[in-house]
Amino acid sequence: MDLPPLTQGFVLHFGEMGSRWGINRTVGQIYALLFVSSRPLNADEITDRLQVSRSNVSMGLKELQSWRLVRLSHLPGDRRDYYSAPDDVWQIFKTLAEERQRREIDPTLSMLRDAMLESPGNADDRHAQERMRQMHELIEQLTDWFAEVRRLAPETLEQLMGLGAGAVKLLDFKDRVLRRGARGQEPGGTP
Amino acid sequence: MDLPPLTQGFVLHFGEMGSRWGINRTVGQIYALLFVSSRPLNADEITDRLQVSRSNVSMGLKELQSWRLVRLSHLPGDRRDYYSAPDDVWQIFKTLAEERQRREIDPTLSMLRDAMLESPGNADDRHAQERMRQMHELIEQLTDWFAEVRRLAPETLEQLMGLGAGAVKLLDFKDRVLRRGARGQEPGGTP
DNA sequence: CATGAGTTTCAGTAAGTTCTGAAACTAGTG
DNA sequence: CACTAGTTTCAGAACTTACTGAAACTCATG
């Protein structure tokens, strides 16, 4: 692997991270390489740079395509496939989150929903079911909310995130203004 | 494994999920079991119910403790350790997120920051560095924002999430009200 | 301070996954 | 329609991780 040192560190790090997140090392490395590359790369170029087998790269690219994380392109007069990572990091993050949702969260929600339809056999079962209901509620809330966030325009989102804990103040502000709306009222307490 | 069917499905499912998220299967199962249990369990009880070796359970519990995901308790006159999952699902989620932050995100940010200090050797290097900067920015924004959210009281949070995309309207509302400032005001549209 | 209930550690093994090279396949080109 | 560049598949090898049973350790108690 004779990459520029900067890139090399990045690629190796994402290889490690990949394994920790249930994505295999090579796949992480391929993605890291595509992410920093200034132009699309074909499978052979990736093979050379990462020093792994051609077939390993082929499988890794297939995996990345199934995650919709790479874009395919072609050069005139060259029928090899060239791969690249989307430019927009926020877009990448959204795609990743969407796929994870589809593959892991949705089946989990579905399992929990099924479990909640069963009639509990005894007190312990009833307790277990109540716990599952709580978990279902949390996951559903988080994912519904995130689904809405994904729809926001990047600028709006940035504004919202820049707000941070300021959101609390904003809520408070809204309450106060609306309450005044109808009659004269005193502002609420500290958060 | 002779658990009530409801619990069994839940435990097995979280075993699978564990593997997909880089946590081993047994650890996932132990946690699922503790999560739905109506009282704290000791290591032997867990061993019996999951049908895995005693030492495997011992290691799994150690792992869960290192993630701060289980609470330890004791019964009078019994010196065995009893384990349980916290009651509050939101708390559990926060703990999980905090540990992941500490173990994976922080080192990644640090690596990216280091990479940004290097002087790029050529145009490709410069591009790679710019990409890393973008990634750094996104991750930092997301985590800063989430760190603030974690500090919110659960009710406030729920209010905020219930708002969902309505947050956009709220921002808009704030702008309009503030611009009108001193003079006559009209409350915004439906939240 | 010996006993024994409870817990942890560890070396070896089982199970699972990732990776490889070779072979098979696909589809433009002469 | 044979040739060739490119890509995919696959069986087994290499590696990694998870799991086990046995031994070592810990510590309250008689």
Side-chain angles (χ1 to χ4, degrees):
Chain A
M1 200 190 286
D2 66 335
L3 296 164
L6 242 161
T7 302
Q8 166 142 347
F10 183 79
V11 165
L12 293 177
H13 183 92
F14 274 84
E16 297 312 314
M17 281 304 130
S19 348
R20 283 176 168 283
W21 287 80
I23 290 162
N24 90 42
R25 187 160 355 102
T26 311
V27 173
Q29 292 185 353
I30 295 175
Y31 200 69
L33 184 61
L34 292 175
F35 180 80
V36 296
S37 171
S38 56
R39 60 174 181 81
L41 301 177
N42 64 45
D44 282 321
E45 292 171 321
I46 298 172
T47 304
D48 286 352
R49 302 197 192 181
L50 297 184
Q51 305 280 41
V52 295
S53 77
R54 185 50 234 274
S55 50
N56 198 357
V57 170
S58 176
M59 283 169 142
L61 287 170
K62 225 175 93 183
E63 173 88 359
L64 285 170
Q65 281 179 282
S66 84
W67 282 83
R68 299 182 298 133
L69 283 171
V70 290
R71 320 187 78 256
L72 208 51
S73 57
H74 292 93
L75 297 182
D78 183 344
R79 60 197 180 77
R80 286 173 295 183
D81 291 339
Y82 282 79
Y83 299 88
S84 54
D87 284 338
D88 179 0
V89 284
W90 171 244
Q91 181 53 54
I92 293 175
F93 176 74
K94 280 198 290 190
T95 304
L96 205 58
E98 276 163 21
E99 283 294 321
R100 222 119 213 185
Q101 170 90 23
R102 202 173 58 72
R103 297 171 185 225
E104 276 119 38
I105 312 291
D106 289 348
T108 299
L109 282 174
S110 149
M111 181 274 292
L112 290 171
R113 232 175 277 120
D114 288 352
M116 279 152 53
L117 295 176
E118 302 286 321
S119 0
N122 55 38
D124 278 355
D125 254 19
R126 208 165 312 117
H127 179 268
Q129 210 174 34
E130 166 57 14
R131 291 293 270 162
M132 294 182 207
R133 197 196 55 70
Q134 289 168 8
M135 177 178 288
H136 180 273
E137 184 176 281
L138 177 71
I139 298 180
E140 198 167 52
Q141 254 188 20
L142 286 172
T143 57
D144 282 0
W145 172 81
F146 188 60
E148 296 206 349
V149 166
R150 283 200 304 257
R151 277 189 230 109
L152 299 180
E155 332 69 85
T156 313
L157 185 74
E158 210 153 327
Q159 202 185 354
L160 206 56
M161 295 217 319
L163 216 58
V168 191
K169 294 195 194 109
L170 184 52
L171 275 174
D172 189 47
F173 171 77
K174 181 197 76 170
D175 281 354
R176 269 179 296 141
V177 174
L178 286 184
R179 241 181 284 126
R180 268 157 206 266
R183 57 197 80 174
Q185 201 74 231
E186 112 227 12
T190 336
Chain B
M1 199 190 287
D2 65 335
L3 296 164
L6 242 160
T7 301
Q8 168 143 346
F10 183 79
V11 165
L12 293 177
H13 183 92
F14 274 84
E16 297 312 315
M17 281 304 130
S19 349
R20 283 176 167 282
W21 286 80
I23 290 162
N24 90 43
R25 188 160 355 102
T26 311
V27 173
Q29 293 186 353
I30 295 175
Y31 200 69
L33 185 61
L34 292 176
F35 180 81
V36 295
S37 171
S38 57
R39 60 174 182 81
L41 301 176
N42 65 44
D44 281 320
E45 290 172 321
I46 298 172
T47 303
D48 286 351
R49 301 196 192 182
L50 298 183
Q51 305 280 42
V52 295
S53 76
R54 184 48 232 274
S55 51
N56 199 358
V57 170
S58 176
M59 284 170 141
L61 287 170
K62 224 175 91 182
E63 173 89 359
L64 285 170
Q65 281 179 283
S66 85
W67 282 85
R68 299 182 298 134
L69 283 171
V70 289
R71 320 187 78 257
L72 207 52
S73 57
H74 292 93
L75 298 182
D78 182 343
R79 62 196 180 77
R80 285 173 298 183
D81 291 338
Y82 283 78
Y83 299 88
S84 55
D87 284 339
D88 178 0
V89 284
W90 170 245
Q91 180 54 54
I92 293 174
F93 175 75
K94 281 199 292 190
T95 303
L96 206 57
E98 276 165 20
E99 283 294 321
R100 219 116 214 189
Q101 170 89 24
R102 202 171 59 70
R103 295 170 187 226
E104 276 120 37
I105 313 291
D106 290 348
T108 300
L109 282 174
S110 150
M111 181 273 292
L112 290 171
R113 234 174 277 120
D114 288 351
M116 279 152 52
L117 295 176
E118 302 285 320
S119 1
N122 56 38
D124 279 355
D125 254 21
R126 207 165 313 118
H127 179 269
Q129 210 174 34
E130 167 57 14
R131 291 294 269 162
M132 294 183 207
R133 197 195 56 69
Q134 289 167 9
M135 177 178 287
H136 180 274
E137 184 176 281
L138 176 72
I139 298 179
E140 197 168 53
Q141 251 186 21
L142 287 171
T143 58
D144 282 359
W145 172 81
F146 188 60
E148 297 206 348
V149 166
R150 284 199 304 258
R151 278 190 227 108
L152 300 180
E155 330 72 81
T156 313
L157 184 75
E158 210 153 328
Q159 203 183 352
L160 206 56
M161 296 217 319
L163 217 58
V168 190
K169 294 195 191 111
L170 184 51
L171 275 174
D172 189 46
F173 171 74
K174 181 197 75 171
D175 282 352
R176 268 180 298 138
V177 174
L178 286 185
R179 238 179 286 123
R180 276 160 200 261
R183 53 192 86 223
Q185 48 193 258
E186 138 228 343
T190 336

